[in-house]
Amino acid sequence: MEFDVTVHGPVRSLEEAAEERGVDPRQILKTIVVRRGEDDFLFVLVPGDRQISWPKLREHLGVSRLSMPDKEIAREVTGYERGTITPFGASLSPRGTAWPVIADALIVSREGPVSIGGGAHGVAASVHPAQLVEVLDATVADVTEPLG
């Protein structure tokens, strides 16, 4: 997989992060940890200008209930603190396998690279979205809605 690593100082907003990384805010991917059940987590990759649509995600997964773990649980299960979470190198599931990854459909339909967190504050990787989906074996689905 071809990628470029960007290292920058602390940022306080999506817009600041985009400026530091040289991309549009919609090209930044948020890696969201979602809990399906006891010890059953997955990652959802969300474009920076979007948020999870819980009804769409529940329908896609065929479940009636989902939640987001608090920051302590998220750190415990991924190995990363909130704001640095990435699917790369995250802790494995209790079954010893990588967590499932769902990439919102807009990620692969937009032009240019996407920027995904690199596991530490101020570290990101820019990569072609199709390569990212392939490397992560992500399922592509319409699971987001506009912010607000």
Side-chain angles (χ1 to χ4, degrees):
M1 176 172 78
E2 294 182 32
F3 59 91
D4 292 314
V5 174
T6 304
V7 179
H8 56 78
V11 294
R12 292 187 179 90
S13 69
L14 174 69
E15 291 73 20
E16 282 184 27
E19 186 175 324
E20 289 288 335
R21 298 176 190 183
V23 298
D24 189 271
R26 65 193 182 112
Q27 291 173 275
I28 291 184
L29 299 184
K30 300 176 280 192
T31 302
I32 310 295
V33 177
V34 174
R35 175 186 269 158
R36 277 190 285 203
E38 187 69 28
D39 293 326
D40 185 9
F41 299 90
L42 59 111
F43 292 117
V44 181
L45 303 182
V46 177
D49 62 342
R50 311 273 297 175
Q51 64 188 5
I52 291 176
S53 166
W54 294 102
K56 287 180 181 180
L57 185 57
R58 285 191 305 269
E59 182 179 341
H60 173 75
L61 293 170
V63 298
S64 60
R65 189 167 194 277
L66 295 168
S67 64
M68 288 178 53
D70 65 30
K71 66 181 182 179
E72 289 81 19
I73 297 294
R75 182 182 178 112
E76 179 183 319
V77 298
T78 65
Y80 297 112
E81 67 180 86
R82 194 169 280 166
T84 69
I85 294 173
T86 181
F88 297 110
S91 301
L92 297 177
S93 75
R95 295 175 294 283
T97 59
W99 292 3
V101 177
I102 298 173
D104 185 66
L106 286 176
I107 292 168
V108 295
S109 70
R110 292 180 172 172
E111 294 292 320
V114 292
S115 180
I116 188 166
H121 290 289
V123 178
S126 293
V127 61
H128 189 279
Q131 286 184 319
L132 181 67
V133 166
E134 181 181 345
V135 166
L136 293 174
D137 194 24
T139 301
V140 176
D142 175 14
V143 295
T144 68
E145 60 191 15
L147 286 171

